[in-house]
Amino acid sequence: EVQLVESGGGLVKPGGSLRLSCAASGFTFSSYSMNWVRQAPGKGLEWVSSISSSSSYIYYADSVKGRFTISRDNAKNSLYLQMNSLRAEDTAVYYCARDDLTGDLGYWGQGTLVTVSS
Amino acid sequence: QSVLTQPPSVSAAPGQKVTISCSGSSSNIGNNYVSWYQQLPGTAPKLLIYDNNKRPSGIPDRFSGSKSGTSATLGITGLQTGDEADYYCGTWDSSLSAGGRVFGGGTKLTVL
């Protein structure tokens, strides 16, 4: 069974940093592209970043480019999101999601809440 | 403001049919496959439809998808109270940063 478990969320002050992790199991992690998608409280989904299976291709939404860094460790079956210079508008539940072979977001974790507030 | 436009809410009675629209442009829906995601209250989104009209394993055939030009539609027949959820369309957009996925603002389905 595919499982994605996010961790690392919490309360952080504006300008601060946070590192999210996503532990994957139940599939060959090194074969799939991975993504971070966020959802602000009461709002819709927003794609944040994606990384290819071997980390060769990395993409970011304009809203986080230059502040967030996505990475992965295939030996540890883990995905990461380093978030720097956090702003109030980054407050959201952050989901880790796996690409299907069709490129769709076929599996999602349960999410981890990031709150940016003074 | 989302790149893809969905109605904020739709409602219908149990057993009835409902459709949810998703409108975009040539840079997104017009030249890419559309997916649909269901988000039940308090849970993570789940893939419902991919490649415009295909259902992942385990998704009942009460759910269907279609695309025409720069718009897509999700259909749900035989509505059940368990279908009450937020529904999102998604695709890629070639006018945004490379790799840019976009979503609609979401539609809340109420089964009266």
Side-chain angles (χ1 to χ4, degrees), chain A residues 1-8 20-27 29 34-36 71-81 95-98 107-112:
Chain A
E1 178 193 4
V2 172
Q3 283 202 319
L4 299 169
V5 179
E6 302 93 336
S7 61
L20 306 183
S21 299
C22 171
S25 61
F27 65 101
F29 181 73
M34 298 294 296
N35 303 265
W36 289 99
S71 63
R72 64 190 295 162
D73 186 335
N74 287 343
K76 295 183 177 179
N77 291 340
S78 293
L79 175 72
Y80 306 101
L81 186 67
Y95 294 102
C96 160
R98 191 196 86 173
Y107 291 91
W108 298 63
Q110 86 289 349
T112 187

PDB file of all heavy atoms in Angstrom, chain A residues 1-8 20-27 29 34-36 71-81 95-98 107-112:
ATOM      1  N   GLU A   1       0.842  -1.191   0.000  1.00  0.00           N
ATOM      2  CA  GLU A   1       0.000   0.000   0.000  1.00  0.00           C
ATOM      3  C   GLU A   1       0.884   1.250   0.000  1.00  0.00           C
ATOM      4  O   GLU A   1       1.790   1.380   0.816  1.00  0.00           O
ATOM      5  CB  GLU A   1      -0.888   0.013   1.251  1.00  0.00           C
ATOM      6  CG  GLU A   1      -1.777   1.237   1.393  1.00  0.00           C
ATOM      7  CD  GLU A   1      -2.379   1.358   2.779  1.00  0.00           C
ATOM      8  OE1 GLU A   1      -2.049   0.538   3.658  1.00  0.00           O
ATOM      9  OE2 GLU A   1      -3.169   2.286   2.984  1.00  0.00           O
ATOM     10  N   VAL A   2       0.587   2.160  -0.912  1.00  0.00           N
ATOM     11  CA  VAL A   2       1.334   3.420  -0.983  1.00  0.00           C
ATOM     12  C   VAL A   2       1.015   4.272   0.244  1.00  0.00           C
ATOM     13  O   VAL A   2      -0.148   4.478   0.575  1.00  0.00           O
ATOM     14  CB  VAL A   2       0.973   4.195  -2.262  1.00  0.00           C
ATOM     15  CG1 VAL A   2       1.599   5.585  -2.247  1.00  0.00           C
ATOM     16  CG2 VAL A   2       1.407   3.422  -3.496  1.00  0.00           C
ATOM     17  N   GLN A   3       2.059   4.732   0.896  1.00  0.00           N
ATOM     18  CA  GLN A   3       1.880   5.639   2.036  1.00  0.00           C
ATOM     19  C   GLN A   3       2.846   6.812   1.921  1.00  0.00           C
ATOM     20  O   GLN A   3       4.022   6.631   1.598  1.00  0.00           O
ATOM     21  CB  GLN A   3       2.116   4.908   3.359  1.00  0.00           C
ATOM     22  CG  GLN A   3       0.975   4.020   3.796  1.00  0.00           C
ATOM     23  CD  GLN A   3       0.990   3.742   5.286  1.00  0.00           C
ATOM     24  OE1 GLN A   3       2.042   3.515   5.859  1.00  0.00           O
ATOM     25  NE2 GLN A   3      -0.177   3.773   5.913  1.00  0.00           N
ATOM     26  N   LEU A   4       2.322   7.998   2.176  1.00  0.00           N
ATOM     27  CA  LEU A   4       3.112   9.227   2.207  1.00  0.00           C
ATOM     28  C   LEU A   4       2.794   9.921   3.519  1.00  0.00           C
ATOM     29  O   LEU A   4       1.627  10.226   3.790  1.00  0.00           O
ATOM     30  CB  LEU A   4       2.754  10.127   1.026  1.00  0.00           C
ATOM     31  CG  LEU A   4       3.003   9.543  -0.368  1.00  0.00           C
ATOM     32  CD1 LEU A   4       2.366  10.416  -1.444  1.00  0.00           C
ATOM     33  CD2 LEU A   4       4.489   9.383  -0.625  1.00  0.00           C
ATOM     34  N   VAL A   5       3.820  10.144   4.335  1.00  0.00           N
ATOM     35  CA  VAL A   5       3.606  10.732   5.657  1.00  0.00           C
ATOM     36  C   VAL A   5       4.475  11.973   5.802  1.00  0.00           C
ATOM     37  O   VAL A   5       5.707  11.881   5.853  1.00  0.00           O
ATOM     38  CB  VAL A   5       3.930   9.721   6.769  1.00  0.00           C
ATOM     39  CG1 VAL A   5       3.710  10.369   8.130  1.00  0.00           C
ATOM     40  CG2 VAL A   5       3.084   8.465   6.620  1.00  0.00           C
ATOM     41  N   GLU A   6       3.807  13.130   5.870  1.00  0.00           N
ATOM     42  CA  GLU A   6       4.507  14.398   6.028  1.00  0.00           C
ATOM     43  C   GLU A   6       4.781  14.701   7.495  1.00  0.00           C
ATOM     44  O   GLU A   6       4.032  14.255   8.382  1.00  0.00           O
ATOM     45  CB  GLU A   6       3.695  15.567   5.432  1.00  0.00           C
ATOM     46  CG  GLU A   6       3.350  15.437   3.962  1.00  0.00           C
ATOM     47  CD  GLU A   6       2.001  14.794   3.728  1.00  0.00           C
ATOM     48  OE1 GLU A   6       1.530  14.050   4.629  1.00  0.00           O
ATOM     49  OE2 GLU A   6       1.393  15.029   2.667  1.00  0.00           O
ATOM     50  N   SER A   7       5.825  15.462   7.731  1.00  0.00           N
ATOM     51  CA  SER A   7       6.152  15.921   9.074  1.00  0.00           C
ATOM     52  C   SER A   7       6.943  17.211   8.965  1.00  0.00           C
ATOM     53  O   SER A   7       7.391  17.589   7.876  1.00  0.00           O
ATOM     54  CB  SER A   7       6.952  14.861   9.836  1.00  0.00           C
ATOM     55  OG  SER A   7       8.165  14.592   9.160  1.00  0.00           O
ATOM     56  N   GLY A   8       7.100  17.878  10.100  1.00  0.00           N
ATOM     57  CA  GLY A   8       7.925  19.074  10.133  1.00  0.00           C
ATOM     58  C   GLY A   8       7.176  20.388  10.185  1.00  0.00           C
ATOM     59  O   GLY A   8       7.790  21.451  10.311  1.00  0.00           O
ATOM     60  N   LEU A  20      10.212  20.687   5.791  1.00  0.00           N
ATOM     61  CA  LEU A  20       9.214  19.632   5.769  1.00  0.00           C
ATOM     62  C   LEU A  20       9.822  18.348   5.221  1.00  0.00           C
ATOM     63  O   LEU A  20      10.691  18.390   4.351  1.00  0.00           O
ATOM     64  CB  LEU A  20       8.012  20.026   4.908  1.00  0.00           C
ATOM     65  CG  LEU A  20       7.322  21.348   5.241  1.00  0.00           C
ATOM     66  CD1 LEU A  20       6.108  21.535   4.349  1.00  0.00           C
ATOM     67  CD2 LEU A  20       6.952  21.426   6.701  1.00  0.00           C
ATOM     68  N   SER A  21       9.334  17.219   5.728  1.00  0.00           N
ATOM     69  CA  SER A  21       9.755  15.915   5.233  1.00  0.00           C
ATOM     70  C   SER A  21       8.540  15.101   4.830  1.00  0.00           C
ATOM     71  O   SER A  21       7.445  15.300   5.353  1.00  0.00           O
ATOM     72  CB  SER A  21      10.534  15.157   6.312  1.00  0.00           C
ATOM     73  OG  SER A  21      11.696  15.851   6.692  1.00  0.00           O
ATOM     74  N   CYS A  22       8.752  14.180   3.921  1.00  0.00           N
ATOM     75  CA  CYS A  22       7.699  13.270   3.492  1.00  0.00           C
ATOM     76  C   CYS A  22       8.326  11.878   3.382  1.00  0.00           C
ATOM     77  O   CYS A  22       9.221  11.670   2.551  1.00  0.00           O
ATOM     78  CB  CYS A  22       7.106  13.697   2.160  1.00  0.00           C
ATOM     79  SG  CYS A  22       5.959  12.505   1.411  1.00  0.00           S
ATOM     80  N   ALA A  23       7.879  10.967   4.227  1.00  0.00           N
ATOM     81  CA  ALA A  23       8.392   9.598   4.209  1.00  0.00           C
ATOM     82  C   ALA A  23       7.489   8.742   3.341  1.00  0.00           C
ATOM     83  O   ALA A  23       6.269   8.684   3.564  1.00  0.00           O
ATOM     84  CB  ALA A  23       8.444   9.052   5.632  1.00  0.00           C
ATOM     85  N   ALA A  24       8.085   8.084   2.357  1.00  0.00           N
ATOM     86  CA  ALA A  24       7.320   7.293   1.404  1.00  0.00           C
ATOM     87  C   ALA A  24       7.537   5.801   1.635  1.00  0.00           C
ATOM     88  O   ALA A  24       8.639   5.377   1.997  1.00  0.00           O
ATOM     89  CB  ALA A  24       7.722   7.649  -0.021  1.00  0.00           C
ATOM     90  N   SER A  25       6.492   5.023   1.414  1.00  0.00           N
ATOM     91  CA  SER A  25       6.604   3.568   1.510  1.00  0.00           C
ATOM     92  C   SER A  25       5.553   2.919   0.630  1.00  0.00           C
ATOM     93  O   SER A  25       4.596   3.564   0.197  1.00  0.00           O
ATOM     94  CB  SER A  25       6.435   3.116   2.968  1.00  0.00           C
ATOM     95  OG  SER A  25       5.157   3.477   3.452  1.00  0.00           O
ATOM     96  N   GLY A  26       5.761   1.638   0.342  1.00  0.00           N
ATOM     97  CA  GLY A  26       4.779   0.894  -0.431  1.00  0.00           C
ATOM     98  C   GLY A  26       4.971   0.961  -1.934  1.00  0.00           C
ATOM     99  O   GLY A  26       4.157   0.426  -2.691  1.00  0.00           O
ATOM    100  N   PHE A  27       6.026   1.630  -2.394  1.00  0.00           N
ATOM    101  CA  PHE A  27       6.323   1.704  -3.823  1.00  0.00           C
ATOM    102  C   PHE A  27       7.811   2.014  -4.005  1.00  0.00           C
ATOM    103  O   PHE A  27       8.502   2.365  -3.052  1.00  0.00           O
ATOM    104  CB  PHE A  27       5.460   2.758  -4.526  1.00  0.00           C
ATOM    105  CG  PHE A  27       5.718   4.186  -4.088  1.00  0.00           C
ATOM    106  CD1 PHE A  27       6.490   5.040  -4.867  1.00  0.00           C
ATOM    107  CD2 PHE A  27       5.168   4.673  -2.922  1.00  0.00           C
ATOM    108  CE1 PHE A  27       6.718   6.348  -4.470  1.00  0.00           C
ATOM    109  CE2 PHE A  27       5.376   5.986  -2.512  1.00  0.00           C
ATOM    110  CZ  PHE A  27       6.156   6.827  -3.289  1.00  0.00           C
ATOM    111  N   PHE A  29      10.233   4.286  -4.566  1.00  0.00           N
ATOM    112  CA  PHE A  29      10.287   5.755  -4.487  1.00  0.00           C
ATOM    113  C   PHE A  29      11.162   6.347  -5.591  1.00  0.00           C
ATOM    114  O   PHE A  29      10.799   7.365  -6.195  1.00  0.00           O
ATOM    115  CB  PHE A  29      10.817   6.157  -3.107  1.00  0.00           C
ATOM    116  CG  PHE A  29      10.906   7.638  -2.879  1.00  0.00           C
ATOM    117  CD1 PHE A  29       9.766   8.403  -2.687  1.00  0.00           C
ATOM    118  CD2 PHE A  29      12.153   8.273  -2.823  1.00  0.00           C
ATOM    119  CE1 PHE A  29       9.848   9.775  -2.467  1.00  0.00           C
ATOM    120  CE2 PHE A  29      12.245   9.637  -2.594  1.00  0.00           C
ATOM    121  CZ  PHE A  29      11.092  10.387  -2.416  1.00  0.00           C
ATOM    122  N   MET A  34       7.945  13.540  -7.620  1.00  0.00           N
ATOM    123  CA  MET A  34       7.205  13.891  -6.415  1.00  0.00           C
ATOM    124  C   MET A  34       6.896  15.384  -6.408  1.00  0.00           C
ATOM    125  O   MET A  34       7.566  16.186  -7.072  1.00  0.00           O
ATOM    126  CB  MET A  34       8.005  13.520  -5.167  1.00  0.00           C
ATOM    127  CG  MET A  34       8.298  12.030  -5.028  1.00  0.00           C
ATOM    128  SD  MET A  34       6.831  11.030  -4.774  1.00  0.00           S
ATOM    129  CE  MET A  34       6.247  11.636  -3.187  1.00  0.00           C
ATOM    130  N   ASN A  35       5.890  15.749  -5.613  1.00  0.00           N
ATOM    131  CA  ASN A  35       5.427  17.128  -5.592  1.00  0.00           C
ATOM    132  C   ASN A  35       5.078  17.583  -4.177  1.00  0.00           C
ATOM    133  O   ASN A  35       4.772  16.769  -3.305  1.00  0.00           O
ATOM    134  CB  ASN A  35       4.136  17.261  -6.417  1.00  0.00           C
ATOM    135  CG  ASN A  35       4.282  16.813  -7.839  1.00  0.00           C
ATOM    136  OD1 ASN A  35       4.524  17.598  -8.739  1.00  0.00           O
ATOM    137  ND2 ASN A  35       4.121  15.504  -8.079  1.00  0.00           N
ATOM    138  N   TRP A  36       5.083  18.891  -3.993  1.00  0.00           N
ATOM    139  CA  TRP A  36       4.478  19.531  -2.831  1.00  0.00           C
ATOM    140  C   TRP A  36       3.330  20.405  -3.344  1.00  0.00           C
ATOM    141  O   TRP A  36       3.506  21.176  -4.288  1.00  0.00           O
ATOM    142  CB  TRP A  36       5.483  20.374  -2.069  1.00  0.00           C
ATOM    143  CG  TRP A  36       6.508  19.578  -1.328  1.00  0.00           C
ATOM    144  CD1 TRP A  36       7.784  19.310  -1.724  1.00  0.00           C
ATOM    145  CD2 TRP A  36       6.348  18.950  -0.046  1.00  0.00           C
ATOM    146  NE1 TRP A  36       8.430  18.543  -0.773  1.00  0.00           N
ATOM    147  CE2 TRP A  36       7.562  18.301   0.268  1.00  0.00           C
ATOM    148  CE3 TRP A  36       5.301  18.843   0.872  1.00  0.00           C
ATOM    149  CZ2 TRP A  36       7.764  17.587   1.449  1.00  0.00           C
ATOM    150  CZ3 TRP A  36       5.483  18.136   2.042  1.00  0.00           C
ATOM    151  CH2 TRP A  36       6.707  17.513   2.326  1.00  0.00           C
ATOM    152  N   SER A  71      13.971  18.785  -2.414  1.00  0.00           N
ATOM    153  CA  SER A  71      15.036  17.803  -2.589  1.00  0.00           C
ATOM    154  C   SER A  71      14.492  16.430  -2.212  1.00  0.00           C
ATOM    155  O   SER A  71      13.406  16.317  -1.665  1.00  0.00           O
ATOM    156  CB  SER A  71      16.263  18.162  -1.738  1.00  0.00           C
ATOM    157  OG  SER A  71      15.926  18.136  -0.365  1.00  0.00           O
ATOM    158  N   ARG A  72      15.261  15.415  -2.505  1.00  0.00           N
ATOM    159  CA  ARG A  72      14.864  14.050  -2.172  1.00  0.00           C
ATOM    160  C   ARG A  72      16.091  13.218  -1.877  1.00  0.00           C
ATOM    161  O   ARG A  72      17.189  13.516  -2.361  1.00  0.00           O
ATOM    162  CB  ARG A  72      14.048  13.433  -3.301  1.00  0.00           C
ATOM    163  CG  ARG A  72      14.799  13.254  -4.611  1.00  0.00           C
ATOM    164  CD  ARG A  72      13.845  12.874  -5.749  1.00  0.00           C
ATOM    165  NE  ARG A  72      13.228  11.568  -5.522  1.00  0.00           N
ATOM    166  CZ  ARG A  72      12.117  11.163  -6.153  1.00  0.00           C
ATOM    167  NH1 ARG A  72      11.515  11.968  -7.031  1.00  0.00           N
ATOM    168  NH2 ARG A  72      11.621   9.966  -5.917  1.00  0.00           N
ATOM    169  N   ASP A  73      15.884  12.159  -1.103  1.00  0.00           N
ATOM    170  CA  ASP A  73      16.931  11.190  -0.809  1.00  0.00           C
ATOM    171  C   ASP A  73      16.348   9.822  -1.133  1.00  0.00           C
ATOM    172  O   ASP A  73      15.570   9.276  -0.346  1.00  0.00           O
ATOM    173  CB  ASP A  73      17.355  11.286   0.663  1.00  0.00           C
ATOM    174  CG  ASP A  73      18.538  10.392   0.990  1.00  0.00           C
ATOM    175  OD1 ASP A  73      18.748   9.383   0.291  1.00  0.00           O
ATOM    176  OD2 ASP A  73      19.239  10.689   1.958  1.00  0.00           O
ATOM    177  N   ASN A  74      16.693   9.302  -2.295  1.00  0.00           N
ATOM    178  CA  ASN A  74      16.101   8.039  -2.726  1.00  0.00           C
ATOM    179  C   ASN A  74      16.543   6.866  -1.849  1.00  0.00           C
ATOM    180  O   ASN A  74      15.827   5.876  -1.720  1.00  0.00           O
ATOM    181  CB  ASN A  74      16.444   7.766  -4.191  1.00  0.00           C
ATOM    182  CG  ASN A  74      15.658   8.671  -5.141  1.00  0.00           C
ATOM    183  OD1 ASN A  74      14.648   9.266  -4.762  1.00  0.00           O
ATOM    184  ND2 ASN A  74      16.129   8.783  -6.374  1.00  0.00           N
ATOM    185  N   ALA A  75      17.693   6.976  -1.235  1.00  0.00           N
ATOM    186  CA  ALA A  75      18.164   5.911  -0.341  1.00  0.00           C
ATOM    187  C   ALA A  75      17.324   5.858   0.935  1.00  0.00           C
ATOM    188  O   ALA A  75      17.183   4.796   1.550  1.00  0.00           O
ATOM    189  CB  ALA A  75      19.627   6.128   0.018  1.00  0.00           C
ATOM    190  N   LYS A  76      16.762   6.997   1.297  1.00  0.00           N
ATOM    191  CA  LYS A  76      15.944   7.072   2.510  1.00  0.00           C
ATOM    192  C   LYS A  76      14.451   7.140   2.198  1.00  0.00           C
ATOM    193  O   LYS A  76      13.635   7.320   3.100  1.00  0.00           O
ATOM    194  CB  LYS A  76      16.338   8.288   3.346  1.00  0.00           C
ATOM    195  CG  LYS A  76      17.745   8.213   3.905  1.00  0.00           C
ATOM    196  CD  LYS A  76      18.051   9.415   4.796  1.00  0.00           C
ATOM    197  CE  LYS A  76      19.435   9.297   5.407  1.00  0.00           C
ATOM    198  NZ  LYS A  76      19.768  10.468   6.270  1.00  0.00           N
ATOM    199  N   ASN A  77      14.091   7.019   0.915  1.00  0.00           N
ATOM    200  CA  ASN A  77      12.673   7.106   0.509  1.00  0.00           C
ATOM    201  C   ASN A  77      12.001   8.357   1.070  1.00  0.00           C
ATOM    202  O   ASN A  77      10.884   8.286   1.604  1.00  0.00           O
ATOM    203  CB  ASN A  77      11.899   5.866   0.962  1.00  0.00           C
ATOM    204  CG  ASN A  77      12.323   4.622   0.203  1.00  0.00           C
ATOM    205  OD1 ASN A  77      12.903   4.706  -0.886  1.00  0.00           O
ATOM    206  ND2 ASN A  77      12.049   3.464   0.777  1.00  0.00           N
ATOM    207  N   SER A  78      12.684   9.468   0.945  1.00  0.00           N
ATOM    208  CA  SER A  78      12.188  10.694   1.563  1.00  0.00           C
ATOM    209  C   SER A  78      12.243  11.894   0.629  1.00  0.00           C
ATOM    210  O   SER A  78      13.169  12.027  -0.176  1.00  0.00           O
ATOM    211  CB  SER A  78      12.984  11.014   2.829  1.00  0.00           C
ATOM    212  OG  SER A  78      12.739  10.049   3.831  1.00  0.00           O
ATOM    213  N   LEU A  79      11.242  12.750   0.774  1.00  0.00           N
ATOM    214  CA  LEU A  79      11.128  14.007   0.035  1.00  0.00           C
ATOM    215  C   LEU A  79      11.189  15.141   1.052  1.00  0.00           C
ATOM    216  O   LEU A  79      10.697  14.995   2.176  1.00  0.00           O
ATOM    217  CB  LEU A  79       9.795  14.035  -0.708  1.00  0.00           C
ATOM    218  CG  LEU A  79       9.414  15.315  -1.451  1.00  0.00           C
ATOM    219  CD1 LEU A  79      10.273  15.471  -2.707  1.00  0.00           C
ATOM    220  CD2 LEU A  79       7.931  15.302  -1.824  1.00  0.00           C
ATOM    221  N   TYR A  80      11.787  16.254   0.648  1.00  0.00           N
ATOM    222  CA  TYR A  80      11.943  17.376   1.563  1.00  0.00           C
ATOM    223  C   TYR A  80      11.511  18.685   0.904  1.00  0.00           C
ATOM    224  O   TYR A  80      11.517  18.820  -0.317  1.00  0.00           O
ATOM    225  CB  TYR A  80      13.403  17.500   2.011  1.00  0.00           C
ATOM    226  CG  TYR A  80      13.977  16.241   2.587  1.00  0.00           C
ATOM    227  CD1 TYR A  80      14.810  15.420   1.823  1.00  0.00           C
ATOM    228  CD2 TYR A  80      13.674  15.847   3.884  1.00  0.00           C
ATOM    229  CE1 TYR A  80      15.332  14.250   2.343  1.00  0.00           C
ATOM    230  CE2 TYR A  80      14.191  14.671   4.416  1.00  0.00           C
ATOM    231  CZ  TYR A  80      15.015  13.870   3.633  1.00  0.00           C
ATOM    232  OH  TYR A  80      15.521  12.713   4.161  1.00  0.00           O
ATOM    233  N   LEU A  81      11.170  19.645   1.755  1.00  0.00           N
ATOM    234  CA  LEU A  81      10.925  21.008   1.291  1.00  0.00           C
ATOM    235  C   LEU A  81      11.535  21.951   2.322  1.00  0.00           C
ATOM    236  O   LEU A  81      11.042  22.051   3.445  1.00  0.00           O
ATOM    237  CB  LEU A  81       9.432  21.300   1.115  1.00  0.00           C
ATOM    238  CG  LEU A  81       9.121  22.661   0.492  1.00  0.00           C
ATOM    239  CD1 LEU A  81       9.584  22.706  -0.966  1.00  0.00           C
ATOM    240  CD2 LEU A  81       7.619  22.979   0.575  1.00  0.00           C
ATOM    241  N   TYR A  95       0.894  19.328   1.399  1.00  0.00           N
ATOM    242  CA  TYR A  95       0.750  17.924   1.039  1.00  0.00           C
ATOM    243  C   TYR A  95       1.908  17.477   0.161  1.00  0.00           C
ATOM    244  O   TYR A  95       2.331  18.191  -0.762  1.00  0.00           O
ATOM    245  CB  TYR A  95      -0.541  17.710   0.239  1.00  0.00           C
ATOM    246  CG  TYR A  95      -1.830  17.951   0.987  1.00  0.00           C
ATOM    247  CD1 TYR A  95      -2.547  19.124   0.799  1.00  0.00           C
ATOM    248  CD2 TYR A  95      -2.337  17.001   1.864  1.00  0.00           C
ATOM    249  CE1 TYR A  95      -3.747  19.343   1.460  1.00  0.00           C
ATOM    250  CE2 TYR A  95      -3.534  17.212   2.532  1.00  0.00           C
ATOM    251  CZ  TYR A  95      -4.230  18.387   2.328  1.00  0.00           C
ATOM    252  OH  TYR A  95      -5.414  18.595   2.995  1.00  0.00           O
ATOM    253  N   CYS A  96       2.355  16.287   0.427  1.00  0.00           N
ATOM    254  CA  CYS A  96       3.296  15.582  -0.427  1.00  0.00           C
ATOM    255  C   CYS A  96       2.448  14.725  -1.376  1.00  0.00           C
ATOM    256  O   CYS A  96       1.488  14.078  -0.925  1.00  0.00           O
ATOM    257  CB  CYS A  96       4.184  14.723   0.477  1.00  0.00           C
ATOM    258  SG  CYS A  96       5.059  13.368  -0.257  1.00  0.00           S
ATOM    259  N   ALA A  97       2.756  14.726  -2.664  1.00  0.00           N
ATOM    260  CA  ALA A  97       1.946  13.971  -3.617  1.00  0.00           C
ATOM    261  C   ALA A  97       2.832  13.306  -4.657  1.00  0.00           C
ATOM    262  O   ALA A  97       3.789  13.925  -5.150  1.00  0.00           O
ATOM    263  CB  ALA A  97       0.933  14.889  -4.306  1.00  0.00           C
ATOM    264  N   ARG A  98       2.506  12.073  -5.000  1.00  0.00           N
ATOM    265  CA  ARG A  98       3.287  11.316  -5.975  1.00  0.00           C
ATOM    266  C   ARG A  98       2.675  11.423  -7.366  1.00  0.00           C
ATOM    267  O   ARG A  98       1.454  11.329  -7.533  1.00  0.00           O
ATOM    268  CB  ARG A  98       3.343   9.839  -5.576  1.00  0.00           C
ATOM    269  CG  ARG A  98       4.345   9.012  -6.366  1.00  0.00           C
ATOM    270  CD  ARG A  98       4.087   7.533  -6.218  1.00  0.00           C
ATOM    271  NE  ARG A  98       3.091   7.087  -7.199  1.00  0.00           N
ATOM    272  CZ  ARG A  98       2.775   5.809  -7.388  1.00  0.00           C
ATOM    273  NH1 ARG A  98       3.348   4.863  -6.644  1.00  0.00           N
ATOM    274  NH2 ARG A  98       1.889   5.461  -8.294  1.00  0.00           N
ATOM    275  N   TYR A 107      -1.322   9.866  -5.601  1.00  0.00           N
ATOM    276  CA  TYR A 107      -1.334   9.569  -4.172  1.00  0.00           C
ATOM    277  C   TYR A 107      -0.913  10.807  -3.395  1.00  0.00           C
ATOM    278  O   TYR A 107       0.013  11.515  -3.795  1.00  0.00           O
ATOM    279  CB  TYR A 107      -0.398   8.404  -3.837  1.00  0.00           C
ATOM    280  CG  TYR A 107      -0.884   7.088  -4.368  1.00  0.00           C
ATOM    281  CD1 TYR A 107      -0.488   6.644  -5.624  1.00  0.00           C
ATOM    282  CD2 TYR A 107      -1.766   6.300  -3.628  1.00  0.00           C
ATOM    283  CE1 TYR A 107      -0.949   5.437  -6.129  1.00  0.00           C
ATOM    284  CE2 TYR A 107      -2.225   5.090  -4.124  1.00  0.00           C
ATOM    285  CZ  TYR A 107      -1.815   4.674  -5.371  1.00  0.00           C
ATOM    286  OH  TYR A 107      -2.270   3.479  -5.872  1.00  0.00           O
ATOM    287  N   TRP A 108      -1.599  11.050  -2.267  1.00  0.00           N
ATOM    288  CA  TRP A 108      -1.358  12.216  -1.435  1.00  0.00           C
ATOM    289  C   TRP A 108      -1.128  11.772   0.004  1.00  0.00           C
ATOM    290  O   TRP A 108      -1.731  10.806   0.469  1.00  0.00           O
ATOM    291  CB  TRP A 108      -2.569  13.153  -1.458  1.00  0.00           C
ATOM    292  CG  TRP A 108      -2.918  13.715  -2.807  1.00  0.00           C
ATOM    293  CD1 TRP A 108      -3.315  13.021  -3.915  1.00  0.00           C
ATOM    294  CD2 TRP A 108      -2.936  15.097  -3.170  1.00  0.00           C
ATOM    295  NE1 TRP A 108      -3.576  13.882  -4.951  1.00  0.00           N
ATOM    296  CE2 TRP A 108      -3.357  15.168  -4.515  1.00  0.00           C
ATOM    297  CE3 TRP A 108      -2.653  16.284  -2.496  1.00  0.00           C
ATOM    298  CZ2 TRP A 108      -3.488  16.380  -5.206  1.00  0.00           C
ATOM    299  CZ3 TRP A 108      -2.788  17.485  -3.179  1.00  0.00           C
ATOM    300  CH2 TRP A 108      -3.193  17.532  -4.515  1.00  0.00           C
ATOM    301  N   GLY A 109      -0.302  12.515   0.708  1.00  0.00           N
ATOM    302  CA  GLY A 109      -0.172  12.315   2.133  1.00  0.00           C
ATOM    303  C   GLY A 109      -1.299  13.014   2.865  1.00  0.00           C
ATOM    304  O   GLY A 109      -2.176  13.631   2.238  1.00  0.00           O
ATOM    305  N   GLN A 110      -1.269  12.948   4.188  1.00  0.00           N
ATOM    306  CA  GLN A 110      -2.343  13.546   4.987  1.00  0.00           C
ATOM    307  C   GLN A 110      -2.120  15.029   5.242  1.00  0.00           C
ATOM    308  O   GLN A 110      -3.029  15.727   5.687  1.00  0.00           O
ATOM    309  CB  GLN A 110      -2.484  12.798   6.325  1.00  0.00           C
ATOM    310  CG  GLN A 110      -1.573  13.279   7.443  1.00  0.00           C
ATOM    311  CD  GLN A 110      -0.108  12.921   7.226  1.00  0.00           C
ATOM    312  OE1 GLN A 110       0.238  12.134   6.345  1.00  0.00           O
ATOM    313  NE2 GLN A 110       0.764  13.479   8.053  1.00  0.00           N
ATOM    314  N   GLY A 111      -0.930  15.514   4.931  1.00  0.00           N
ATOM    315  CA  GLY A 111      -0.636  16.934   5.053  1.00  0.00           C
ATOM    316  C   GLY A 111      -0.042  17.312   6.402  1.00  0.00           C
ATOM    317  O   GLY A 111      -0.235  16.626   7.411  1.00  0.00           O
ATOM    318  N   THR A 112       0.707  18.416   6.397  1.00  0.00           N
ATOM    319  CA  THR A 112       1.265  18.971   7.626  1.00  0.00           C
ATOM    320  C   THR A 112       1.029  20.480   7.598  1.00  0.00           C
ATOM    321  O   THR A 112       1.232  21.134   6.563  1.00  0.00           O
ATOM    322  CB  THR A 112       2.762  18.636   7.777  1.00  0.00           C
ATOM    323  OG1 THR A 112       3.225  19.061   9.053  1.00  0.00           O
ATOM    324  CG2 THR A 112       3.616  19.260   6.694  1.00  0.00           C
TER     325      THR A 112
END
